[in-house]
Amino acid sequence: MPFFFSRYSGLLLIFFVHGLVYALLLLRKGYQNDRASDKWLAAFLFLCILYITPWMLGFAGWYDGFECLRCRNFLFYMPLQHTLLMGPVIYFYLRTLFQPTIKFRRADWLHFVPAALYLLWCAVVFVTDQVVLRQYYLMDGIQDPDFDDWYILAGLISLLIYLVLCIRYYRRYKQFIVQEASFADSIMFRWVRNFLLAFLIYFLSNLIFHLVPLFGIDFDYTDSWWYYLLFAILFYYIAINGYSHSIETRMRFGMDLLSYKKQNLLGAPAENNDFLEDIPFEEVQPAPRDVNGLEEWKEKVLQAIVTEKAYTNPELTLTDLAKALQTNNSLLSRVINSGFGQNFNDFINFYRVEEVKGKLRSEAAGQVTIMSIAYDAGFNSKATFNRAFKKLTGKNPKDYLNSGSSSAEL
């Protein structure tokens, strides 16, 4: 089959090949590590390279049909732009990223029904035209069905729905994680924010690209190529960052955005629901009137944190502390939020930073490095320590040292 190289077809071919390589690498990593999120991201990249394929092959001469009628029919009868699949695939990527142990349920297939119906219709068209009648009948032979107005509109609606769901999902996760983990910063998945921003840019550019002609501004075939180049750059960015940030949370975050049932944010087994109660989404709640003996509970918490130094555990969670105090997560969360005016993550990091500051002021501080002190205090990374230290003191560690507070080494 012919392929005429030009700056248009050649440049898209580069992104096509690189996207395919990253998709295969993620798929391989997903199977090696039994990591569903990598598999879903690989599926998304496959959809992305298929999305640019009609424009890449179109500029390579396939739509002309003069030298290769089979090439033209391949583009007409093979569905390549799966916008009805992109949204659900991204949604399940986030779900498995935040909930590695979640199982794909039978009801989850409903997300893929619209895309399946479109694929079924494409199969019917192909069989009718190419196998039974051997002529254009359901297909007009002029316009690629992937670019029909109704299909483009359906794809835009699907993308908008899942974009809203994914943004809401990520916000809920961030609100949950600062209430549950003392190492929230390291599992905040900040790159997901950039991933969703890239997804938003794609949606807006897609919307603008298809709305502009309604105002009398027509794009020719070459002008449209720039839109697909932008899309290729976006998915290439997602491929690189998705591969380099191929990790999953260890927290038991469980939430179904499409369910109206009360959610157990910790994803606890049914038999443990009496212990692991729901943690509210609000980061800092008003002082509860139903927490009996608030001051007594504050003393218990301080005993565990200050006296027993529970904060030195770098993987301390609200669940761990609740078990140690023989209470439930919901009550303990309200005690910390209301009694100390902080979420769990900031509350624990406050005592870690205080220990670091105390050791920096001691005469023996110069014999050890700051990071050694930070790790002993419970921080699990330099980035997390620096961010928490500046948030709570207004200075980064180096400025704190230069202010004359201590003489420890960097």
Side-chain angles (χ1 to χ4, degrees):
M1 292 184 176
F3 190 98
F4 300 112
F5 284 93
S6 67
R7 62 174 180 171
Y8 300 110
S9 61
L11 192 54
L12 289 181
L13 178 61
I14 293 173
F15 284 104
F16 178 93
V17 172
H18 284 207
L20 180 61
V21 169
Y22 272 107
L24 292 174
L25 288 174
L26 278 165
L27 191 62
R28 177 173 175 267
K29 183 186 288 189
Y31 278 106
Q32 283 183 336
N33 301 322
D34 193 24
R35 188 174 293 157
S37 59
D38 286 341
K39 299 174 186 177
W40 282 109
L41 188 56
F44 175 70
L45 293 180
F46 277 122
L47 295 177
C48 289
I49 63 174
L50 288 177
Y51 188 81
I52 66 172
T53 296
W55 240 249
M56 178 186 71
L57 295 179
F59 278 102
W62 282 40
Y63 273 122
D64 294 338
F66 297 120
E67 296 192 19
C68 181
L69 184 60
R70 288 184 303 168
C71 299
R72 178 184 176 92
N73 285 336
F74 171 81
L75 292 178
F76 276 179
Y77 288 102
M78 175 64 69
L80 295 172
Q81 296 205 325
H82 300 279
T83 52
L84 294 177
L85 276 176
M86 285 185 178
V89 168
I90 292 174
Y91 171 69
F92 281 100
Y93 166 64
L94 292 189
R95 281 188 62 181
T96 52
L97 190 68
F98 297 150
Q99 305 176 62
T101 59
I102 194 172
K103 302 297 182 182
F104 193 86
R105 303 162 302 181
R106 184 176 301 177
D108 290 332
W109 286 109
L110 294 175
H111 291 270
F112 301 94
V113 168
L117 291 176
Y118 178 68
L119 292 176
L120 179 61
W121 168 246
C122 290
V124 170
V125 172
F126 173 78
V127 171
T128 302
D129 288 12
Q130 295 295 306
V131 178
V132 179
L133 300 180
R134 297 183 179 276
Q135 63 176 352
Y136 294 126
Y137 181 71
L138 296 179
M139 172 87 66
D140 60 15
I142 300 174
Q143 171 76 11
D144 190 327
D146 281 351
F147 304 107
D148 286 344
D149 291 339
W150 73 268
Y151 184 63
I152 292 172
L153 178 61
L156 283 171
I157 294 173
S158 174
L159 288 172
L160 177 60
I161 291 172
Y162 282 98
L163 176 61
V164 172
L165 284 176
C166 289
I167 291 175
R168 184 181 175 214
Y169 198 86
Y170 180 54
R171 288 184 60 193
R172 292 286 184 93
Y173 175 78
K174 290 199 302 180
Q175 292 169 349
F176 156 78
I177 208 65
V178 295
Q179 294 286 18
E180 169 62 17
S182 66
F183 49 96
D185 190 72
S186 61
I187 52 173
M188 192 62 75
F189 293 103
R190 284 182 169 82
W191 110 264
V192 171
R193 175 192 59 191
N194 299 334
F195 171 79
L196 292 176
L197 179 60
F199 186 23
L200 176 62
I201 293 173
Y202 159 60
F203 170 78
L204 293 177
S205 61
N206 195 347
L207 182 65
I208 294 171
F209 176 70
H210 291 103
L211 285 182
V212 165
L214 298 179
F215 297 93
I217 302 175
D218 293 326
F219 293 121
D220 61 24
Y221 197 71
T222 303
D223 292 333
S224 303
W225 176 83
W226 290 99
Y227 161 73
Y228 286 92
L229 177 63
L230 171 63
F231 177 79
I233 294 172
L234 288 175
F235 85 68
Y236 192 55
Y237 165 80
I238 291 172
I240 295 174
N241 283 275
Y243 185 81
S244 61
H245 293 86
S246 178
I247 58 175
E248 293 172 329
T249 179
R250 292 161 291 175
M251 307 308 301
R252 293 185 297 174
F253 172 69
M255 181 179 66
D256 187 350
L257 288 175
L258 302 183
S259 173
Y260 291 98
K261 296 179 180 179
K262 187 178 181 181
Q263 297 299 322
N264 184 356
L265 293 184
L266 296 179
E271 60 271 17
N272 293 334
N273 281 347
D274 58 334
F275 176 76
L276 297 175
E277 297 182 7
D278 291 352
I279 292 181
F281 292 141
E282 294 79 2
E283 292 191 5
V284 178
Q285 306 165 37
R289 298 181 181 277
D290 58 340
V291 177
N292 296 322
L294 179 60
E295 293 302 320
E296 181 182 348
W297 273 109
K298 286 176 62 177
E299 291 180 8
K300 290 182 179 180
V301 171
L302 290 175
Q303 171 69 22
I305 299 299
V306 179
T307 306
E308 300 175 14
K309 292 191 174 183
Y311 60 82
T312 58
N313 176 6
E315 296 188 352
L316 181 68
T317 66
L318 185 74
T319 301
D320 296 332
L321 189 58
K323 287 181 178 179
L325 296 176
Q326 297 183 342
T327 185
N328 57 61
N329 297 63
S330 181
L331 186 146
L332 183 58
S333 180
R334 292 198 299 272
V335 169
I336 294 174
N337 290 170
S338 304
F340 299 97
Q342 293 175 300
N343 60 53
F344 180 73
N345 181 69
D346 289 344
F347 176 68
I348 298 300
N349 282 338
F350 170 80
Y351 288 99
R352 289 171 175 168
V353 169
E354 286 299 305
E355 175 159 326
V356 171
K357 288 165 60 180
K359 289 185 177 180
L360 289 179
R361 288 191 293 265
S362 68
E363 295 181 359
Q367 302 175 10
V368 294
T369 64
I370 289 181
M371 283 313 303
S372 176
I373 296 173
Y375 288 133
D376 288 343
F379 288 104
N380 61 1
S381 73
K382 184 176 181 179
T384 300
F385 165 63
N386 288 336
R387 192 174 287 112
F389 194 92
K390 186 170 184 178
K391 180 178 181 180
L392 294 169
T393 66
K395 299 178 181 180
N396 59 46
K398 182 178 292 187
D399 291 339
Y400 183 81
L401 286 175
N402 292 337
S403 67
S405 299
S406 72
S407 59
E409 299 174 2
L410 280 172

